[in-house]
C-alpha cells in the first residue's frame, strides 16, 4: 500500500488514481492531489475516492511516498521548484507524465540523486486498457522500476523503453486512440449509410475494434495473417480491403504516425539549458 501524491488533478490523474485503488496498490485515503481551487470537478472526483485534495504542491510531496507529476507541460517549469524544495529534505520516486519533458530536464531541476521515471500513458487507462511506457532515470533502481511497473500494469499494458523511442511511441500509442476513434466513427457512418441505426452501428464498430485488438495481442499472430483468415476468395472482406488500399488507407496511417512523431520532436516546453 503506497501513499501516492498527484501534482495536478486532471483527467489522467483521476483515471490513474482509480486504477491504482482498484488494483489494491493504495487506498483512497492514502491518495492526495493538488488541484486548482477553481477546478471543482477534479476536486469532486478525488473526494469521491475519499482522497485528500490540497492546494499546495509542496504539501503533496510531504504527504506522499511516490509522486506523479501530472500537470500540463507548460506548467512544469513553475511547479518543479516547489517540488525540488520539498524533495531536498527526503528523496522520493517521481513519475512524470508531462509530455516533452526529458529525463535530463527533470533531473537537472530536482535534487541531485532523486529517482525519476519518465512515463507515457495513453487515455484508455481511464477504462483499464491503457498502453504505458516508461524510461528509467539515471538514479532509479530495480525497486523503483518494480513500483512503476506494478502501478501502470494495473491500468493496462506497461513496458520499459529507451528514451529515444518516446516520440514515435507517443505518435503511435499516445495519439493512436484518436485515429481509432475516427475509424470507429467512419465505420459506423458507412453502416448507417447502408441502413443500420446509429447506436447499433457504434456498438458493433467499437466491439469489432476491441475484439480485433484483443486477437492480435492475445494470439500473437501477425495481423496480416489474421486479416487473410477473414478474407474469403471473391468475398465482401477482400472487396472492402481493395477499396481501402485504393484510397491509401495504409499510407495515410503511416503518414499520420510520421507527422505526429515529427511534431513530438518539435515540441518542448523547455530549452536545452533548462
Amino acid at each position: 500500500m503506497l501513499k501516492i501524491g498527484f501534482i495536478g488533478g486532471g483527467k489522467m490523474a483521476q483515471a490513474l488514481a482509480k486504477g491504482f485503488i482498484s488494483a489494491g496498490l493504495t487506498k483512497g485515503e492514502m491518495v492526495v492531489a493538488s488541484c486548482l481551487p477553481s477546478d471543482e470537478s477534479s476536486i469532486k472526483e478525488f473526494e469521491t475516492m475519499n482522497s485528500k485534495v490540497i492546494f499546495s504542491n509542496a504539501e503533496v510531496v510531504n504527504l506522499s511516498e511516490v509522486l506523479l507529476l501530472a500537470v500540463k507541460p507548460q506548467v512544469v517549469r513553475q511547479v518543479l521548484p516547489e517540488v525540488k524544495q520539498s524533495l531536498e529534505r527526503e528523496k522520493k520516486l517521481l513519475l512524470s507524465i508531462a509530455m516533452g519533458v526529458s529525463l535530463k530536464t527533470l533531473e537537472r531541476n530536482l535534487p541531485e540523486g532523486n529517482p525519476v521515471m519518465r512515463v507515457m500513458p495513453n487515455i484508455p487507462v481511464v477504462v483499464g486498457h491503457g498502453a504505458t511506457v516508461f524510461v528509467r532515470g539515471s538514479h532509479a533502481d530495480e525497486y523503483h522500476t518494480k513500483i512503476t511497473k506494478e502501478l501502470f500494469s494495473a491500468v493496462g499494458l506497461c513496458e520499459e523503453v529507451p528514451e529515444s523511442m518516446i516520440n514515435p511511441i507517443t505518435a503511435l500509442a499516445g495519439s493512436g486512440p484518436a485515429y481509432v476513434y475516427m475509424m470507429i466513427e467512419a465505420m459506423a457512418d458507412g453502416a448507417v449509410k447502408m441502413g443500420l441505426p446509429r447506436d447499433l452501428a457504434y456498438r458493433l464498430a467499437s466491439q469489432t475494434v476491441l475484439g480485433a485488438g484483443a486477437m492480435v495481442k492475445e494470439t500473437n499472430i501477425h495481423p496480416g495473417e489474421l486479416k487473410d483468415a477473414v478474407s474469403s476468395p471473391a468475398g465482401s472482406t477482400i472487396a472492402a480491403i481493395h477499396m481501402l488500399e485504393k484510397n491509401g488507407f495504409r499510407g495515410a496511417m503511416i503518414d499520420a504516425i510520421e507527422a505526429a512523431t515529427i511534431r513530438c520532436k518539435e515540441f518542448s516546453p523547455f530549452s536545452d539549458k533548462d
Side-chain angles (χ1 to χ4, degrees):
M1 289 288 177
L2 293 167
K3 293 180 181 177
I4 301 176
F6 289 88
I7 300 166
K11 296 292 185 185
M12 186 65 80
Q14 295 162 29
L16 292 172
K18 289 175 183 175
F20 300 159
I21 293 167
S22 296
L25 298 172
T26 188
K27 294 181 179 178
E29 55 268 30
M30 296 174 72
V31 172
V32 60
S34 61
C35 298
L36 293 172
S38 58
D39 190 357
E40 295 180 4
S41 63
S42 294
I43 293 170
K44 185 177 179 180
E45 281 295 323
F46 276 99
E47 288 178 343
T48 300
M49 294 181 243
N50 296 319
S51 301
K52 187 174 184 180
V53 177
I54 52 182
F55 308 121
S56 164
N57 293 322
E59 190 62 16
V60 169
V61 178
N62 295 335
L63 293 173
S64 307
E65 296 170 328
V66 176
L67 299 165
L68 271 96
L69 184 63
V71 296
K72 294 184 183 300
Q74 297 85 346
V75 183
V76 172
R77 185 188 297 272
Q78 61 196 74
V79 166
L80 282 179
E82 303 172 55
V83 175
K84 180 179 181 179
Q85 189 173 7
S86 296
L87 288 175
E88 295 281 8
R89 293 190 288 274
E90 182 184 359
K91 292 182 175 63
K92 298 177 181 181
L93 175 60
L94 183 139
L95 308 173
S96 171
I97 64 172
M99 178 186 169
V101 182
S102 69
L103 279 173
K104 184 184 290 187
T105 295
L106 292 165
E107 291 180 341
R108 191 180 288 156
N109 286 274
L110 292 172
E112 176 64 31
N114 196 86
V116 178
M117 297 283 193
R118 184 178 176 188
V119 187
M120 210 245 22
N122 67 0
I123 197 62
V125 298
V126 171
V127 290
H129 291 284
T132 300
V133 297
F134 69 93
V135 184
R136 195 187 310 201
S138 56
H139 305 293
D141 58 25
E142 290 302 321
Y143 172 70
H144 302 123
T145 301
K146 180 175 179 287
I147 290 174
T148 305
K149 283 185 176 178
E150 285 184 353
L151 286 171
F152 286 91
S153 292
V155 289
L157 177 73
C158 182
E159 303 270 357
E160 182 175 4
V161 298
E163 193 166 24
S164 60
M165 290 185 180
I166 283 288
N167 289 332
I169 287 172
T170 301
L172 172 63
S175 302
Y179 319 150
V180 177
Y181 301 148
M182 290 177 69
M183 187 174 76
I184 290 171
E185 185 179 32
M187 288 169 70
D189 282 347
V192 169
K193 180 180 180 182
M194 302 313 295
L196 288 191
R198 184 162 291 279
D199 58 345
L200 177 60
Y202 276 132
R203 288 199 302 275
L204 291 174
S206 58
Q207 184 63 33
T208 298
V209 170
L210 179 65
M215 283 194 70
V216 173
K217 181 183 173 186
E218 293 174 18
T219 66
N220 214 23
I221 297 173
H222 191 283
E225 187 177 342
L226 291 171
K227 177 263 296 176
D228 289 348
V230 294
S231 302
S232 303
S236 60
T237 304
I238 196 64
I241 289 170
H242 179 205
M243 190 58 68
L244 289 171
E245 294 285 16
K246 189 175 178 180
N247 285 279
F249 180 78
R250 293 182 200 233
M253 187 62 70
I254 293 168
D255 286 347
I257 292 176
E258 181 182 35
T261 302
I262 291 169
R263 180 68 188 105
C264 287
K265 290 177 180 178
E266 294 170 347
F267 175 83
S268 176
F270 285 80
S271 71
D272 291 338
K273 296 180 180 179
D274 285 327

